[in-house]
Amino acid sequence: MADPSFSARKDFLVPSSQAAVIAGLGSWLPPRVVGNEEIARRLDTSDEWIRSRTGIAERRVVDPGTSTVDLAAEAGRRALASAGEDGADAVVLATSTADQLCPASAPQVATKIGLNGVAAFDVNAVCSGFIYGLATGAGLIAAGIARRVLVIGADVFTSLVDPDDRGTVPIFGDGAGAVLLRAGAADELGALGAFDLHSEGELAELLWVEAGGAKNRRSDDPRDHYLVMQGQTVFRHACARMAESARTVLGSAGWGVGDVDRFIGHQANIRILQTCAKQLGLAEDVMYSNIEKVGNTSAASIPIALADAAKDGTLQPGHRVVMGAFGAGLTWGSTLLRWPDVIPG
């Protein structure tokens, strides 16, 4: 006898030509604010030193007991509320700070939101994770596997930072952002356009945590469990790769640089964003940044920036928007869309 639940859902298994459209948007930041002065009192640094090199004045940090799943679930709820929906067919969680090595955190996020039984899995492309997650969600919709996909970027990245390293402590913060994608038409506002995704594993050691995985599960050196970053080299790669990727998706869409109303890039460092804008030939006001208030939130940075830009009116319906990211792996990628009429949750 046929499984009635399968029969009822067989339409999801038929490939379709539908595009993935952003229907809802939400973000969530931990309430605890850590300003530069607090860091400067503990480490050999200053507010001026941090601001001049990163553009960051403060960041949010989780309280003990708050996890990536907690942040992701709240951002996901807000994205669903923004879309006026109470469900989704799949949850894609972009994170490099899963609550456990095994299992993935996405099923716990789905359950916490109330989406029991849906497909749910993690994507780990670190700071590029949200772009990779969007591509994955768009693929699920295009393949006919899902009609609504909740894509969440969430990280408690401060858990990977050496508390005594003045080179990384000021940079990173915690947070989550999410979008609900729905099946729709390619010419709709909010429809995701071309994607451009890349990686370069030979350069993994530029930005990595050596211990904790299968290769080096337990190291006697505590430093091996914290993030190591070769800042200047990462800076050069980030600027060049983000700009190159943006040019690729612009070419795919037939847009020129002058057609771009807003560039929402991964909020890694204000100087990276400014240099990328210069290399692309973008006007200064096109490159959006909220890094001063939130720091680098890894996979969460782009959806948090989208929510902030929509809330403050920087993003308006019809705007031509390019999103781009660069992160550990190395990984990088871009996509674009015309901004929809959504009210962030």
Side-chain angles (χ1 to χ4, degrees), residues 67-158:
S67 71
T68 296
V69 166
D70 296 326
L71 297 180
E74 185 59 34
R77 290 188 196 99
R78 288 167 177 249
L80 288 171
S82 167
E85 297 278 2
D86 59 5
D89 308 305
V91 175
V92 179
L93 173 63
T95 187
S96 52
T97 60
D99 283 9
Q100 300 88 25
L101 282 176
C102 177
S105 288
Q108 298 172 61
V109 172
T111 295
K112 201 173 182 70
I113 295 173
L115 305 178
N116 294 308
V118 306
F121 56 93
D122 293 0
V123 171
N124 185 353
V126 198
C127 297
S128 303
F130 184 71
I131 298 295
Y132 273 65
L134 287 177
T136 303
L140 292 172
I141 289 172
I145 296 170
R147 294 193 186 281
R148 298 170 300 174
V149 180
L150 187 60
V151 180
I152 307 171
D155 270 304
V156 178
F157 214 78
T158 58

Side-chain angles (χ1 to χ4, degrees), residues 5-89:
S5 65
F6 176 83
S7 176
R9 292 178 58 84
K10 65 183 180 180
D11 58 319
F12 287 99
L13 305 178
V14 180
S16 76
S17 60
Q18 290 185 304
V21 179
I22 291 181
L25 173 64
S27 65
W28 179 249
L29 294 169
R32 181 186 170 203
V33 178
V34 176
N36 289 345
E37 295 80 5
E38 181 176 338
I39 293 173
R41 285 195 298 268
R42 189 167 56 81
L43 300 176
D44 181 21
T45 187
S46 67
D47 174 61
E48 190 279 330
W49 190 92
I50 296 169
R51 285 177 185 263
S52 65
R53 286 160 177 78
T54 68
I56 300 168
E58 61 187 40
R59 71 287 297 146
R60 301 297 185 93
V61 177
V62 297
D63 291 320
T66 301
S67 71
T68 296
V69 166
D70 296 326
L71 297 180
E74 185 59 34
R77 290 188 196 99
R78 288 167 177 249
L80 288 171
S82 167
E85 297 278 2
D86 59 5
D89 308 305

Side-chain angles (χ1 to χ4, degrees), residues 3 113 149 151 154 213 233 295-296 298 307:
D3 181 350
I113 295 173
V149 180
V151 180
T233 306
N296 180 342
S298 193

Side-chain angles (χ1 to χ4, degrees), residues 272-285:
I272 289 176
L273 291 170
Q274 291 170 341
T275 302
C276 183
K278 184 176 181 179
Q279 291 182 1
L280 282 169
L282 292 173
E284 187 174 333
D285 61 351

Side-chain angles (χ1 to χ4, degrees), residues 151-275:
V151 180
I152 307 171
D155 270 304
V156 178
F157 214 78
T158 58
S159 66
L160 300 181
V161 173
D162 182 345
D164 296 322
D165 180 11
R166 76 165 189 163
T168 55
V169 169
I171 295 173
F172 294 99
D174 304 325
V179 298
L180 180 69
L181 301 179
R182 63 164 175 82
D187 61 356
E188 285 187 69
L189 291 184
L192 297 173
F195 281 89
D196 179 67
L197 304 174
H198 298 277
S199 72
E200 181 50 82
E202 291 183 0
L203 300 176
E205 294 184 25
L206 292 180
L207 193 65
W208 79 337
V209 178
E210 182 175 353
K215 184 177 181 180
N216 186 7
R217 185 70 186 93
R218 298 178 181 87
S219 172
D220 293 333
D221 187 342
R223 293 173 297 181
D224 291 343
H225 294 271
Y226 292 126
L227 179 75
V228 173
M229 181 172 65
Q230 299 183 35
Q232 289 303 315
T233 306
V234 169
F235 180 94
R236 292 195 299 272
H237 279 284
C239 297
R241 304 301 176 98
M242 284 177 64
E244 178 185 14
S245 184
R247 290 190 196 98
T248 298
V249 294
L250 286 171
S252 297
W255 295 2
V257 171
D259 295 322
V260 179
D261 297 300
R262 296 288 180 263
F263 187 101
I264 310 291
H266 166 52
Q267 305 293 304
N269 179 306
I270 192 62
R271 293 191 298 169
I272 289 176
L273 291 170
Q274 291 170 341
T275 302

